[in-house]
Amino acid sequence: FTMWLSANLVISTIALGVLAGPAAFYLGFWDSVAAIIIFNALGVLAPAILATLGPRLGLRQMTISRFAFGWVGGIIMALFNVAACIGWSAVNVIVGAQLIKALACGSANQCSVLGLSLSSTVVQALGILIIAVLTTVVSIYGYRYVHRYERIAWIPMAIIFAIVAIVGSVSSQHFQITAFPGWSVGEIASLVSFGGAIFGFAIGWASYAADYNVNQPENTRPARVFWLTSLGIFIPCVVLEILGVLLASLSNSGNVTGGGLLAQALGPLGAFGTILIFL
């Protein structure tokens, strides 16, 4: 449960919720919340079901796919998985790099890094490279170390996001409950598109769901695996995506998205906010 909780209690989950606002879909608050709850409930089903195969078979998800698709079909599934991993890795490093840019540059287009004058675009590109290299190094050490880290990683993140929620509620540019725009073709299209993004985020874990519990005993109860996996994905996704919707409603949000919006929300805390952004 804590492994899935930590994996989804991250900035990219908030960035997804931000899409409901002016950044993309112009939805109201309550229709956004309804889409978040419904599509996450549907999206977690596949990862939760497939995760039950990990202890039972002791195999990784891509290996399990060969039983259904054969050797050549398994290669095709692996290529789909590579494409999905590239996509989500791009989301994660870009949102993280937005935070690095916010730390180094604030709202300026030119910033000083180690005495060098660099444009904010270059700083963000360097941030992407740094995060990509660091996460690749961690992944080389693998499963055991990731599991140990994820047991506790959710704790500081939960505290930081709680602070973001409190600051956003009481600051001068506070959260606003935007009104439901009313039913129309455009509203339905935006709702389904936003719901598709929510669904895709949750179900995206399906291609490696079994990888994280292959070391559990074979007699581990499937129901226990199913519920702890589904709740570990559902709870942080719903909470942080709703927080993203609220962040998008800040009166000074403008066209700022993702990590930049989170940095902006913590701005009223001054130096303490900067420390939280770094963490």
Side-chain angles (χ1 to χ4, degrees):
F1 173 75
T2 53
M3 200 287 300
W4 291 111
L5 182 66
S6 293
N8 289 282
L9 205 68
V10 291
I11 307 162
S12 53
T13 315
I14 285 184
L16 190 62
V18 170
L19 296 178
F25 296 121
Y26 291 91
L27 295 170
F29 176 75
W30 292 112
D31 46 333
S32 299
V33 170
I36 287 170
I37 293 172
I38 293 169
F39 284 95
N40 271 309
L42 295 172
V44 301
L45 292 176
I49 292 170
L50 293 173
T52 65
L53 300 178
R56 186 181 301 178
L57 301 178
L59 298 172
R60 305 293 174 130
Q61 199 71 65
M62 285 295 99
T63 307
I64 294 172
S65 71
R66 294 179 195 162
F67 290 93
F69 296 97
W71 180 261
V72 175
I75 293 173
I76 295 172
M77 294 304 108
L79 291 174
F80 278 126
N81 190 27
V82 168
C85 288
I86 290 172
W88 285 119
S89 295
V91 170
N92 288 324
V93 296
I94 289 171
V95 174
Q98 287 172 342
L99 282 180
I100 291 177
K101 184 180 79 171
L103 278 174
C105 311
S107 58
N109 291 322
Q110 202 74 15
C111 24
S112 179
V113 179
L114 300 176
L116 299 174
S117 180
L118 301 173
S119 71
S120 59
T121 304
V122 172
V123 170
Q124 182 163 323
L126 287 173
I128 289 172
L129 186 62
I130 290 168
I131 294 172
V133 170
L134 288 176
T135 50
T136 301
V137 169
V138 172
S139 71
I140 289 171
Y141 286 94
Y143 171 88
R144 185 181 305 170
Y145 296 96
V146 169
H147 237 301
R148 289 175 181 173
Y149 170 76
E150 300 286 29
R151 282 179 187 168
I152 59 172
W154 66 273
I155 299 172
M157 298 302 288
I159 293 171
I160 292 171
F161 290 136
I163 293 172
V164 170
I166 293 169
V167 172
S169 300
V170 301
S171 67
S172 56
Q173 292 91 17
H174 55 80
F175 297 147
Q176 300 172 29
I177 305 298
T178 50
F180 174 57
W183 291 112
S184 65
V185 173
E187 164 69 10
I188 294 171
S190 293
L191 204 57
V192 172
S193 298
F194 179 60
I198 297 295
F199 179 81
F201 189 90
I203 202 173
W205 291 108
S207 57
Y208 27 86
D211 294 26
Y212 296 104
N213 56 14
V214 292
N215 291 336
Q216 290 177 350
E218 187 179 355
N219 61 356
T220 303
R221 287 193 302 116
R224 189 163 180 250
V225 174
F226 174 87
W227 286 110
L228 291 179
T229 301
S230 58
L231 291 174
I233 300 173
F234 181 80
I235 292 173
C237 283
V238 168
V239 172
L240 290 196
E241 284 160 12
I242 291 175
L243 180 58
V245 173
L246 291 170
L247 283 171
S249 73
L250 290 172
S251 58
N252 63 344
S253 63
N255 293 320
V256 183
T257 59
L261 190 54
L262 191 68
Q264 189 172 278
L266 289 168
L269 296 181
F272 179 60
T274 301
I275 294 172
L276 295 181
I277 294 168
F278 175 76
L279 291 174

